[in-house]
Amino acid sequence: MSKYKAVIGLEMHCELKSNSKVFSSAKNAYSDIPNSYVSPVDLGFPGILPTVNKESVREALMMALAFNCETPEYMYFDRKNYYYPDLPKGYQITQMHSPVGVNGKIVINLGDSEKEVLIHDIHLEEDTASLDHYSDATLINYNRAGVPLLELVTEPCLNSPEEAVAFLEYVRRCYQYCDVSDADTKMGQIRCDVNVSIMADGDSHLGTKVEIKNVNSFSNVYDTIAYEIARQTKLKDEGRYDEVEQETRRFDEETGTTIRMRSKVDAIDYKYFVEPNIPKYKISKDWLEEIKKSIPMLPRERKLKYINDYGLSLYDANIIIKDKDYANYFEECIQLGMDPKTVANYLTVQIIAYLNKEDITLKDFYLKPEYLKQIITEVNNGNISSKQAKEIFNKSLEEKKEPKTFITKDNAQISDAGELTKIITDILANNQEQIDAYHNGKSNLFDYFVGQVMKETRGKANPNIVKEILNDKLK
Ligand code: ADP
Ligand code: MG
């Protein structure tokens, strides 16, 4: 057991979806052609004036409300001044004095337990351009300059790399559920600054923190934190207290270590001031109410509903809420009147296995809820066996034809008791010898009779009904 406790605070940046950029009319999209979606506003030409994208403000407010934050009465922005090649204006428009959300909280899942993570603030800002480094040159692509960016800052209340990653995954999912971002780390849509300190058992104040800038994947966040905890622990164990310094570092993927960039005493003074080109404006109560109403049910609430109302296991519920598309598919099935547990079973086993095998998403999955319903209904009515259901499931996907096209009279299961009684009576009439042996104690001959019925019906007899009738007849 380590005698230190790790303390972690995250600054999570997420690019928001919208048609145009947050302060200009240039397109907010990816392009293979660098510098194709750029307006003079994004480049900071003299005389330009920013205009606020209402959609970005709506999305930012939506997430602030979803994460239980207090929202401000007035919306305005600040200028953060610094020079860097990816920042053509020489300043970033952001929110420092009055973020869209403060004092929020998010409850996340940690295995079987839950944890409340406190949110310091959420603010709306613009992304920078992206830099492509080559051995002898660096190229600048301004397509990303001015893309709306939502920054969420937690309180220092996470205590392990596992907790940090669980938090990031949960928040990413919330962005996807609310449809404000694809939140795709592979596309660089999510980037984090990770703050790590350690404190000795019994310490009453937080230790000196190190900030690791711009970590671009969740597995790197994990490795960064694990490395920093080990590094700081070693320094303290060796008594080198003054070497645990407030500094900015970066994560080096190749070595899995963090590398010092600068000390906090050399910190840049951003000379923040209120952005003078964007008038302060009031957020109307009606609009806020409208946004609040439009927040869809978040993954944690859905999980609780699936368990409490639909009787799913925590395990199944967790699989289904992992992906917004799974959850929506599941709920559509319930709305069509299907049994939740049966649907959960199909979804978590057969459907997900198929999606993985074919490397597709539910959007491209042929068996829409109403088609799955055709299969489940036939099983419930006793017209097809579960084995046949599986075959029809596969056939329907293979040939891209509705399941009902494969449910013909020819392969339908025989569940009609009258019809089966007739078949069984005929078979028994021709097997007097076996009946006698059965009554004399050869009880395993029961399966022989079932087998005869199956043979006669080419496997289509409903086995449960066959057994019932046989039991009755052989009394
Ligand atoms: P700064 O002034 O360096 O920007 P802030 O107080 O604004 O620091 O916090 C920035 C981030 O660092 C927040 O996510 C916060 O939770 C985290 N943080 C603050 N103090 C600590 C600490 N002692 N250990 C770990 N994280 C911390
Ligand atoms: Mg800060």
Side-chain angles (χ1 to χ4, degrees), residues 11 80 123 151 153 193 195 209 211 213 264 272:
E11 295 162 80
K80 179 179 179 178
H123 56 268
E151 177 173 348
V153 183
D193 299 335
N195 300 273
K209 75 165 171 142
E211 179 176 14
K213 281 268 183 211
K264 198 75 185 183
Y272 282 99

Side-chain angles (χ1 to χ4, degrees), residues 82-89 127-131 140 142 144-145:
Y82 65 97
Y83 176 74
Y84 203 68
D86 66 6
L87 192 73
K89 292 203 293 284
D127 209 344
T128 58
S130 47
L131 301 178
I140 309 179
Y142 291 104
R144 204 181 70 184

Side-chain angles (χ1 to χ4, degrees), residues 152-204:
L152 181 157
V153 183
T154 74
E155 294 292 348
C157 63
L158 295 153
N159 299 110
S160 69
E162 287 81 9
E163 284 186 13
V165 171
F167 172 79
L168 294 172
E169 277 175 348
Y170 187 77
V171 172
R172 167 166 63 181
R173 234 177 274 156
C174 290
Y175 288 148
Q176 292 165 342
Y177 272 71
C178 292
D179 203 26
V180 300
S181 174
D182 293 331
D184 186 341
T185 31
K186 285 194 211 83
M187 301 290 278
Q189 290 175 346
I190 293 186
R191 282 157 271 147
C192 299
D193 299 335
V194 182
N195 300 273
V196 185
S197 66
I198 57 172
M199 58 198 286
D201 284 345
D203 263 5
S204 56

Side-chain angles (χ1 to χ4, degrees), residues 35 54 109 172 197 251-252 257 368 379 401 419 455:
N35 300 313
K54 189 175 176 189
N109 211 45
R172 167 166 63 181
S197 66
F251 182 67
D252 181 58
T257 63
K368 304 290 168 223
V379 176
K401 282 189 191 139
E419 194 179 336
K455 199 169 149 199

Side-chain angles (χ1 to χ4, degrees), residues 318-451:
N318 273 335
I319 295 180
I320 295 173
I321 57 151
K322 264 222 161 85
D323 187 319
K324 170 181 107 184
D325 293 340
Y326 295 171
N328 288 343
Y329 185 95
F330 175 72
E331 289 174 25
E332 254 178 74
C333 288
I334 309 267
Q335 268 160 20
L336 290 176
M338 291 183 244
D339 170 57
K341 281 189 186 169
T342 311
V343 175
N345 213 11
Y346 267 99
L347 186 56
T348 59
V349 184
Q350 269 158 276
I351 296 179
I352 293 180
Y354 179 84
L355 298 177
N356 289 340
K357 193 181 89 199
E358 299 290 318
D359 197 18
I360 56 167
T361 66
L362 260 186
K363 286 193 184 69
D364 302 312
F365 183 61
Y366 176 72
L367 275 184
K368 304 290 168 223
E370 60 264 35
Y371 292 169
L372 185 67
K373 188 177 180 181
Q374 292 176 2
I375 301 180
I376 293 179
T377 307
E378 294 300 321
V379 176
N380 288 346
N381 293 343
N383 292 334
I384 56 171
S385 64
S386 53
K387 184 165 161 259
Q388 284 174 317
K390 223 174 223 162
E391 284 163 12
I392 292 167
F393 177 92
N394 290 330
K395 250 194 160 141
S396 175
L397 286 171
E398 210 171 282
E399 299 184 21
K400 304 262 180 301
K401 282 189 191 139
E402 288 189 40
K404 69 176 182 207
T405 47
F406 304 104
I407 305 165
T408 58
K409 253 207 134 7
D410 250 16
N411 64 14
Q413 181 165 268
I414 307 168
S415 296
D416 183 78
E419 194 179 336
L420 289 174
T421 306
K422 207 165 139 272
I423 296 168
I424 291 169
T425 314
D426 284 350
I427 288 172
L428 292 181
N430 293 323
N431 285 283
Q432 195 53 50
E433 216 175 289
Q434 280 81 359
I435 295 174
D436 293 342
Y438 176 79
H439 284 135
N440 287 328
K442 281 196 102 177
S443 60
N444 57 356
L445 275 170
F446 189 84
D447 292 337
Y448 164 82
F449 296 121
V450 177

Side-chain angles (χ1 to χ4, degrees), residues 60-261:
L61 283 168
M62 186 176 190
M63 294 324 299
L65 294 168
F67 296 150
N68 311 295
C69 291
E70 298 157 26
T71 55
E73 203 178 338
Y74 290 93
M75 188 80 193
Y76 61 96
F77 293 85
D78 298 284
R79 251 187 217 190
K80 179 179 179 178
N81 300 281
Y82 65 97
Y83 176 74
Y84 203 68
D86 66 6
L87 192 73
K89 292 203 293 284
Y91 59 86
Q92 179 194 34
I93 304 179
T94 179
Q95 293 188 297
M96 216 276 282
H97 295 101
S98 177
V100 284
V102 294
N103 297 332
K105 63 167 193 276
I106 303 176
V107 179
I108 60 162
N109 211 45
L110 296 168
D112 290 346
S113 63
E114 295 193 315
K115 178 174 175 123
E116 189 174 280
V117 179
L118 300 176
I119 306 306
H120 179 275
D121 77 83
I122 300 179
H123 56 268
L124 180 61
E125 58 188 27
E126 56 181 333
D127 209 344
T128 58
S130 47
L131 301 178
D132 291 326
H133 299 286
Y134 296 90
S135 57
D136 56 350
T138 293
L139 302 181
I140 309 179
N141 180 355
Y142 291 104
N143 283 343
R144 204 181 70 184
V147 163
L149 202 61
L150 195 61
E151 177 173 348
L152 181 157
V153 183
T154 74
E155 294 292 348
C157 63
L158 295 153
N159 299 110
S160 69
E162 287 81 9
E163 284 186 13
V165 171
F167 172 79
L168 294 172
E169 277 175 348
Y170 187 77
V171 172
R172 167 166 63 181
R173 234 177 274 156
C174 290
Y175 288 148
Q176 292 165 342
Y177 272 71
C178 292
D179 203 26
V180 300
S181 174
D182 293 331
D184 186 341
T185 31
K186 285 194 211 83
M187 301 290 278
Q189 290 175 346
I190 293 186
R191 282 157 271 147
C192 299
D193 299 335
V194 182
N195 300 273
V196 185
S197 66
I198 57 172
M199 58 198 286
D201 284 345
D203 263 5
S204 56
H205 55 88
L206 295 177
T208 304
K209 75 165 171 142
V210 166
E211 179 176 14
I212 304 96
K213 281 268 183 211
N214 235 329
V215 187
N216 59 12
S217 75
F218 294 173
S219 66
N220 284 351
V221 168
Y222 187 99
D223 292 347
T224 296
I225 296 170
Y227 178 81
E228 261 314 300
I229 293 173
R231 188 185 70 85
Q232 294 178 24
T233 300
K234 184 164 184 282
L235 288 176
K236 285 204 178 172
D237 277 348
E238 291 172 0
R240 295 152 67 188
Y241 295 101
D242 53 345
E243 289 177 56
V244 184
E245 196 198 331
Q246 197 169 341
E247 59 183 351
T248 304
R249 301 176 75 92
R250 67 178 176 83
F251 182 67
D252 181 58
E253 235 174 42
E254 243 155 69
T255 54
T257 63
T258 63
I259 295 169
R260 180 187 161 98
M261 293 164 73

